[in-house]
Amino acid sequence: MSTISRPTRFRATSRSLAPVGATLVAAVTGALLTASPAQAADGAGMSASWKYYQSDAFQVAATLPGVKLTAFGSDQNGSRNLYGSIEHVANDGRCSRVVIRAINVSSDLVDETTCGNGTYKTFNTGSGSFDDGLLVLVYRTIPGTTNADKSLFVGIPSSANDAGVRTTGTGASWSYYTATDYTYSLVRPGVRLTGYGSDGSSRSTINTVEKTATGSGCASASVKAGDVSTSGSTCTSSTAGYFARWDLDGGLNVKACYKPTSAAEACLSTYLPKPV
């Protein structure tokens, strides 16, 4: 994969928010997402993911009903760029919009909209290279406005100070496979979390956390919604820990961690919204 030129590097300032964890992303984007008209309580067609397919390259994907985002990025020891396309794939009288932000960069890197079935726009984050987290926001909008009736975001954490993020296979994903049933996963060196759940009067979460490292250490994971959480762990290689809860409400903050015996704990997180 060719590398995008990097004449400018944007680094964290003293107010660095580089990790782009689930709670951080929710806080950064909350006002923007909730300012839109109420979304129908239907998750069908919603998904989001990012994954490193080699140590210097990653992919990002997201869908909403009628909306499709596909993007690829380069990563040179933590300095990254992103390029791709936003498509509208339904004859529904709506538009597709993508906005991309880098933590500690004040202006949007990308803001593209396309309207009409079969239309698309390409985008790239420009000639700069960004060391902090990237935030990709995807919307289905009303033509002629920025008002959205469907929306989601993908938060990609910085790899500048966490080389484990750049390990092939590391990533996060979630998707609705029916209007109310969803699955999600987190993978990073030493740990893999797989979860399922359903929406109703409350949300359920059923999880398996696995230790994938062969050395001494423990894998753990948690799912939290508001003040309610559940968690599990395992310290034996190739074994799993199981945990579940059936009384959650709101967006899910999902986290998976691995703690080697003689090194610091490293975690990965994602945010799974609830259509409202």
Side-chain angles (χ1 to χ4, degrees), residues 140-166:
R140 188 178 72 180
T141 60
I142 311 300
T145 76
T146 58
N147 294 330
D149 60 4
K150 290 282 185 180
S151 56
L152 60 77
F153 60 84
V154 186
I156 309 159
S158 173
S159 70
N161 298 309
D162 185 354
V165 171
R166 299 193 297 274

Side-chain angles (χ1 to χ4, degrees), residues 120-248:
Y120 69 94
K121 290 281 186 69
T122 60
F123 60 81
N124 65 74
T125 53
S127 59
S129 184
F130 306 94
D131 292 350
D132 286 334
L134 293 172
L135 190 61
V136 180
L137 302 106
V138 181
Y139 306 90
R140 188 178 72 180
T141 60
I142 311 300
T145 76
T146 58
N147 294 330
D149 60 4
K150 290 282 185 180
S151 56
L152 60 77
F153 60 84
V154 186
I156 309 159
S158 173
S159 70
N161 298 309
D162 185 354
V165 171
R166 299 193 297 274
T167 303
T168 300
T170 294
S173 66
W174 62 264
S175 64
Y176 274 82
Y177 58 93
T178 73
T180 57
D181 301 307
Y182 49 85
T183 183
Y184 50 89
S185 69
L186 289 171
V187 177
R188 68 164 294 137
V191 61
R192 176 170 54 240
L193 171 69
T194 305
Y196 299 88
S198 296
D199 294 334
S201 57
S202 60
R203 302 187 91 178
S204 62
T205 176
I206 304 169
N207 302 273
T208 302
V209 58
E210 302 169 80
K211 177 184 174 182
T212 58
T214 57
S216 177
C218 295
S220 62
S222 63
V223 178
K224 183 178 182 180
D227 296 326
V228 181
S229 64
T230 182
S231 62
S233 64
T234 178
C235 298
T236 306
S237 298
S238 302
T239 64
Y242 304 96
F243 60 99
R245 191 136 186 169
W246 284 265
D247 60 347
L248 302 175

Side-chain angles (χ1 to χ4, degrees), residues 84-151:
S85 65
I86 182 75
E87 305 175 61
H88 203 75
V89 294
N91 186 18
D92 57 4
R94 294 292 188 266
C95 301
S96 298
R97 182 188 180 202
V98 58
V99 175
I100 300 178
R101 296 171 178 171
I103 305 303
N104 295 311
V105 177
S106 58
S107 59
D108 294 339
L109 307 180
V110 168
D111 189 343
E112 293 287 352
T113 300
T114 186
C115 300
N117 188 24
T119 64
Y120 69 94
K121 290 281 186 69
T122 60
F123 60 81
N124 65 74
T125 53
S127 59
S129 184
F130 306 94
D131 292 350
D132 286 334
L134 293 172
L135 190 61
V136 180
L137 302 106
V138 181
Y139 306 90
R140 188 178 72 180
T141 60
I142 311 300
T145 76
T146 58
N147 294 330
D149 60 4
K150 290 282 185 180
S151 56

Side-chain angles (χ1 to χ4, degrees), residues 10-18 103-104 131-132:
F10 297 89
R11 292 192 178 274
T13 68
S14 59
R15 61 185 182 90
S16 175
L17 301 176
I103 305 303
N104 295 311
D131 292 350
D132 286 334

Side-chain angles (χ1 to χ4, degrees), residues 45-53 57-64 67-73 80 82-83 85 98 100 123 134-138 152-157 169-176 183-187 268-273:
M46 296 179 65
S47 68
S49 66
W50 64 268
K51 181 180 181 179
Y52 274 75
Y53 58 91
F58 60 99
Q59 59 190 20
V60 182
T63 62
L64 295 167
V67 179
K68 181 180 180 181
L69 172 98
T70 305
F72 296 89
R80 300 186 293 194
L82 192 64
Y83 66 91
S85 65
V98 58
I100 300 178
F123 60 81
L134 293 172
L135 190 61
V136 180
L137 302 106
V138 181
L152 60 77
F153 60 84
V154 186
I156 309 159
T170 294
S173 66
W174 62 264
S175 64
Y176 274 82
T183 183
Y184 50 89
S185 69
L186 289 171
V187 177
L268 198 65
S269 60
T270 193
Y271 180 79
L272 199 162

